[in-house]
Amino acid sequence: MSDMVVVRKEGLFCVPGQFYIDPWRPVDRAVITHAHGDHARVGHGHYLAAASGVNVLRSRLGDIHIDGLEYGERIVHNGVTVSLHPAGHVLGSAQVRMEHRGEVWVASGDYKVEPDRTCAPFEPVRCDTFITESTFGLPIYRWQPEQEIFDDINRWWRKNADQGRASVVFAYSFGKAQRILSGLDPSIGTIICHGAAEPINRVYREGGVALPPTVLVTQVEKAAIRRSIVIAPPSAGNSTWMKRFGDYSDSFASGWMQLRGARRRRGVDRGFVLSDHADWPGLMTAIRATEALRVIVTHGSIPIMVRWLCQVGLDASGFDTEYGDEDEAVEVAAPVADPAPDGTPDGTPYGTPYGTPEVTDA
C-alpha cells in the first residue's frame, strides 16, 4: 500500500485526497493546522482550518477563502474522510485525521499535552501512522506545570513593581503572549501589550478566551509604567519603542530557556521556561496514545527521535519540511544523552508528568 501522505516541493501532500497540509508554497487546497507563520502562509486558493482558528488566520493572512470545521466534524474529499482534532498548541490548533480505505493517518502540526486556559486541550487520536513534530524532541526538555511558571512571573513582576521598575516579557505575539496573559495577576499593576500582540488578544477574547485587561503603552500615564508588565515580541528588544519604559527588568519566555546559556545569549535578566510545544515526556505520551505502529517525525530533533522510536519497536522515519520554530530558537548546542531503556536519560518513567490523556476513536 502506498503512503497516504508524502512530501512534495510545495509541502505535505495527501495523495488520495489531493490536498496539502500546511504547505509552504502556494497550492489550490490547503488544510491548515494553526496560524503560526511557518504553517500558515498566504497565496493558497482555498483554506480549511478548525472553526476556532478561522478568525486568527484571517487576522494574520487577510482576505482569504477559508472554511472552518468544528473539532470532530467529518467531511469527505476525493474519498478521504477528513476531521480536525485539538492539538493544544494555540487557539484553533488542530491535528488532521485522514481515513482512506480503512487506513488512518494523523498529522499533528504543533502540539502540547499540558492543558492551558487559552485553547482546547490536546486530544490523542488512534491511527495507523502518526506524523509528529519534534521541536523539543530531546530527553533534556521537561516542563514544569504552567502554574508554577505563572507564579514565578507574578512574583518577579511584583518585586519589580515594588522597586518602581517595569517588567518586560519577550514572547511570541500569537499564542505565547496570550497564554502568559491568562496567568497574570492584574492586581499588581497595568498590563501593557505591544501593538503586534493586541490585535490577537482581541481575537482570543472574541473567541471566548478570558484574558485580563490590556492597554497600549500610549494609553498609560508615565507613573503607571513603573508598576506595569509589558508583553512584547522578541523583535522589539532593540527598538526605540523600549525606551518608553526607562529602567526596566526584562525576561524571555520560551522552552529554549531550559538550556544553559540561552538566557545569557538573549541578554535578559530572567528566563521563564514556558513552551507551547510538547516536552520529551509529552511527545512520548502522545505517540503512545495514538497506538500508531508507524511514526514520521518532522521539524526539530528528527534523528534522535527516529532512533529512539525505532529502538522501542516502532517503524519510524523522518520528513524533511520547511517548518521552523516561532519562538526564534536560540542557536546553542544542547548536550544530549541517549534515552535509557525506559525512555529517559535519567531512568524516570516513559511517559509524562501530566498523565496519559484519554484517547478518542473519532
Side-chain angles (χ1 to χ4, degrees):
M1 186 178 295
S2 60
D3 287 348
M4 192 184 304
V5 177
V6 299
V7 180
R8 289 187 170 179
K9 67 180 185 298
E10 297 86 357
L12 302 185
F13 182 64
C14 178
V15 178
Q18 295 292 294
F19 59 82
Y20 287 85
I21 303 164
D22 294 347
W24 42 82
R25 290 180 178 81
V27 300
D28 289 337
R29 303 192 69 86
V31 180
I32 304 298
T33 63
H34 65 288
H36 278 141
D38 56 330
H39 290 258
R41 309 193 185 194
V42 296
H44 307 316
H46 181 270
Y47 295 74
L48 177 70
S52 56
V54 167
N55 287 337
V56 183
L57 282 160
R58 284 187 170 135
S59 74
R60 292 171 66 81
L61 301 181
D63 185 18
I64 56 176
H65 182 198
I66 185 170
D67 287 325
L69 197 64
E70 295 294 339
Y71 288 131
E73 182 183 354
R74 298 187 179 197
I75 60 171
V76 179
H77 183 74
N78 289 341
V80 177
T81 301
V82 178
S83 55
L84 303 178
H85 303 267
H89 179 56
V90 292
L91 181 63
S93 60
Q95 304 169 83
V96 183
R97 181 187 186 275
M98 298 155 281
E99 183 174 0
H100 183 250
R101 296 180 178 175
E103 185 179 8
V104 177
W105 284 50
V106 171
S108 72
D110 291 336
Y111 65 92
K112 72 173 184 301
V113 299
E114 182 187 19
D116 76 68
R117 307 165 194 174
T118 63
C119 62
F122 177 84
E123 177 186 283
V125 182
R126 288 192 176 97
C127 56
D128 301 297
T129 300
F130 184 52
I131 303 174
T132 179
E133 64 138 316
S134 62
T135 304
F136 291 101
L138 297 175
I140 61 170
Y141 293 114
R142 297 163 184 278
W143 311 146
Q144 292 175 263
E146 69 166 20
Q147 189 57 52
E148 294 181 11
I149 305 301
F150 292 156
D151 291 344
D152 198 15
I153 293 174
N154 284 317
R155 282 192 298 268
W156 170 74
W157 176 19
R158 188 181 298 277
K159 180 180 178 181
N160 290 332
D162 290 344
Q163 296 174 351
R165 303 175 72 197
S167 303
V168 178
V169 181
F170 293 114
Y172 196 76
S173 298
F174 165 44
K176 184 68 63 62
Q178 292 73 37
R179 189 176 173 199
I180 291 171
L181 286 173
S182 74
L184 294 181
D185 178 0
S187 70
I188 300 173
T190 302
I191 303 173
I192 299 172
C193 273
H194 189 276
E198 195 62 17
I200 305 298
N201 295 343
R202 288 196 293 269
V203 174
Y204 268 64
R205 291 185 179 106
E206 291 166 0
V209 178
L211 298 177
T214 55
V215 295
L216 297 173
V217 67
T218 52
Q219 301 170 311
V220 183
E221 294 183 3
K222 191 171 182 179
I225 289 179
R226 291 197 296 269
R227 290 194 63 87
S228 69
I229 191 167
V230 182
I231 310 297
S235 59
N238 296 317
S239 68
T240 56
W241 184 80
M242 296 300 303
K243 295 180 180 179
R244 302 167 185 257
F245 305 109
D247 179 28
Y248 60 84
S249 178
D250 57 2
S251 66
F252 196 90
S254 170
W256 301 109
M257 292 297 103
Q258 187 163 317
L259 293 178
R260 288 193 300 271
R263 186 181 70 185
R264 174 175 53 80
R265 286 177 172 82
R266 283 288 176 183
V268 293
D269 300 325
R270 289 291 306 271
F272 297 110
V273 183
L274 185 70
S275 178
D276 295 327
H277 296 264
D279 59 2
W280 174 266
L283 290 166
M284 295 300 107
T285 294
I287 291 168
R288 289 182 60 194
T290 68
E291 299 184 5
L293 297 179
R294 184 182 182 194
V295 180
I296 300 173
V297 183
T298 67
H299 56 304
S301 305
I302 296 176
I304 289 173
M305 271 194 62
V306 167
R307 184 174 66 179
W308 168 244
L309 294 172
C310 288
Q311 287 176 353
V312 298
L314 297 177
D315 177 7
S317 58
F319 270 167
D320 185 16
T321 69
E322 295 188 14
Y323 306 133
D325 171 41
E326 67 278 359
D327 278 345
E328 299 182 343
V330 179
E331 296 298 331
V332 293
V336 179
D338 283 337
D342 56 3
T344 71
D346 58 3
T348 52
Y350 176 92
T352 172
Y354 316 126
T356 301
E358 249 185 328
V359 183
T360 177
D361 268 318

